[in-house]
Amino acid sequence: MFGSTSRATCPREWDGRATGIAAGYLADVLLGDPRRGHPVAGFGDGAARLEELTYADSRGAGVLHTGLLLGGLALLGVAVGRDDRAWVTAVATYIALGGTSLNRVGGRMSALLQASDIDGARGLLPSLCGRDPAALDASGLTRATVESLAENTSDAQVAPLFWAAIGGVPGVLVYRGANTLDAMIGNRSPRYARFGWAAARFDDLLNYVPARLTAVLVAACAPVVGGSPVAALRAWRRDAARHPSPNAGVVEAAFAGALGVRLGGPTQYAHQLEIRPTLGDGRIPEVADLARAVRLSRAVQAAAAVSAVLLGRSVLRAAFRSGRRSSLRR
């Protein structure tokens, strides 16, 4: 009975997950983030309300806070996504993706800096990262944008697609929740140094493989912007380990090598100044490089979507075959 039921349904589940991932990606390409009522914003509001009850200046409180929120998302994902129905996977994937909106902001930043509208560019920067825009001139805004495009190509697009392929609806929902919590409480400010520890470390764990997949795809897509795959891989191997983040350094170094620019240096956040290591050995990025960075990000996102569709089918096929072997042994 198990074998015949699985043979009938499992191929449909392969197609459901793969089709859902593809549909979610295309929805993001066509629509970008919802302007109102984004579920991720709703999750953030709920997390902020829960923080009023769970906050304490300790790692234990942060573990409880993070566990409650991500455990709830996991249960929701299992409840609605257990059969890998295409439309459910598509909705969950679309909700989790942010690549198109990322590229649109990068394009707007390029246009503002080309028009020498520094005030406008400073006002837009918080849409990309948490750096202090008042401390940045045109060159600093350009570097911040390239680095943010690199990091968020992984965080907002490649990683959600990867976890949708590996874990279906529960996987992509938990990933997006973890990444949102890291953005909210994972910084090293005095309030969150301990409370945000669990969220930050769990986000690092979930992004470990996707960041390296992103770097591989950046190298593969480097010719799209006239770059060298070898230079991207060389910068990754040589420079990434010196970055304070185990994942951001990987993708930023790969982007730097692919674009032929040099990233890193003094980085001013609201709560502290960080001296980041040099990534890449090219020239200082110029405003014209922003359009190239957006094109590279877009190419990597498309390649990641194709990879996720193929990976999703492979994961379910392997699980199906393993289940059949176990059933036959019994």
Side-chain angles (χ1 to χ4, degrees):
M1 179 65 72
F2 176 82
S4 62
T5 301
S6 296
R7 280 193 296 272
T9 61
C10 196
R12 187 162 61 247
E13 292 175 3
W14 300 343
D15 291 338
R17 184 175 295 189
T19 301
I21 291 171
Y25 166 74
L26 291 175
D28 180 66
V29 169
L30 294 173
L31 303 175
D33 288 340
R35 294 186 178 183
R36 297 180 180 177
H38 199 307
V40 174
F43 172 81
D45 290 341
R49 293 191 184 96
L50 181 63
E51 183 181 329
E52 296 175 1
L53 302 175
T54 58
Y55 179 81
D57 189 16
S58 71
R59 288 185 176 183
V63 169
L64 174 64
H65 179 76
T66 301
L68 287 172
L69 289 165
L70 299 187
L73 284 178
L75 291 174
L76 174 63
V78 170
V80 303
R82 67 180 62 187
D83 296 324
D84 282 295
R85 288 170 292 180
W87 73 269
V88 177
T89 303
V91 170
T93 302
Y94 168 63
I95 287 171
L97 295 179
T100 294
S101 294
L102 171 69
N103 292 155
R104 287 175 180 173
V105 175
R108 288 168 57 198
M109 182 67 78
S110 176
L112 288 168
L113 290 176
Q114 286 176 349
S116 300
D117 185 354
I118 302 300
D119 289 339
R122 287 171 175 163
L124 182 61
L125 188 67
S127 300
L128 286 171
C129 62
R131 303 183 193 187
D132 180 6
L136 299 177
D137 57 9
S139 179
L141 290 163
T142 299
R143 176 171 73 86
T145 302
V146 174
E147 291 174 354
S148 297
L149 283 168
E151 182 177 1
N152 287 300
T153 295
S154 179
D155 289 1
Q157 198 78 2
V158 178
L161 288 167
F162 173 82
W163 284 108
I166 293 294
V169 174
V172 73
L173 291 184
V174 169
Y175 171 76
R176 177 46 64 204
N179 192 247
T180 302
L181 282 179
D182 179 58
M184 294 178 67
I185 65 173
N187 59 68
R188 298 180 181 178
S189 67
R191 176 176 173 84
Y192 294 126
R194 296 181 181 85
F195 184 75
W197 175 84
R201 296 292 77 77
F202 192 60
D203 182 70
D204 285 344
L205 177 65
L206 293 184
N207 276 297
Y208 188 86
V209 172
R212 284 142 187 87
L213 174 60
T214 302
V216 170
L217 295 176
V218 167
C221 295
V224 171
V225 292
S228 164
V230 172
L233 294 173
R234 183 172 60 242
W236 169 15
R237 183 181 66 250
R238 184 190 62 218
D239 300 332
R242 295 187 286 120
H243 196 281
S245 167
N247 300 319
V250 170
V251 291
E252 289 179 22
F255 257 73
L259 294 169
V261 300
R262 184 171 69 254
L263 301 176
T267 304
Q268 180 67 58
Y269 291 94
H271 55 279
Q272 66 181 4
L273 173 67
E274 295 184 7
I275 305 300
R276 296 290 178 83
T278 298
L279 306 174
D281 53 10
R283 54 183 169 74
I284 294 174
E286 301 170 355
V287 173
D289 292 313
L290 293 182
R292 297 175 64 228
V294 169
R295 289 200 305 273
L296 180 58
S297 175
R298 190 177 293 120
V300 170
Q301 292 175 30
V306 173
S307 300
V309 168
L310 297 175
L311 179 60
R313 287 179 60 87
S314 298
V315 166
L316 288 178
R317 186 182 294 114
F320 170 60
R321 290 174 178 171
S322 177
R324 285 193 65 189
R325 285 194 294 267
S326 297
S327 178
L328 290 173
R329 283 195 294 268
R330 289 197 297 270

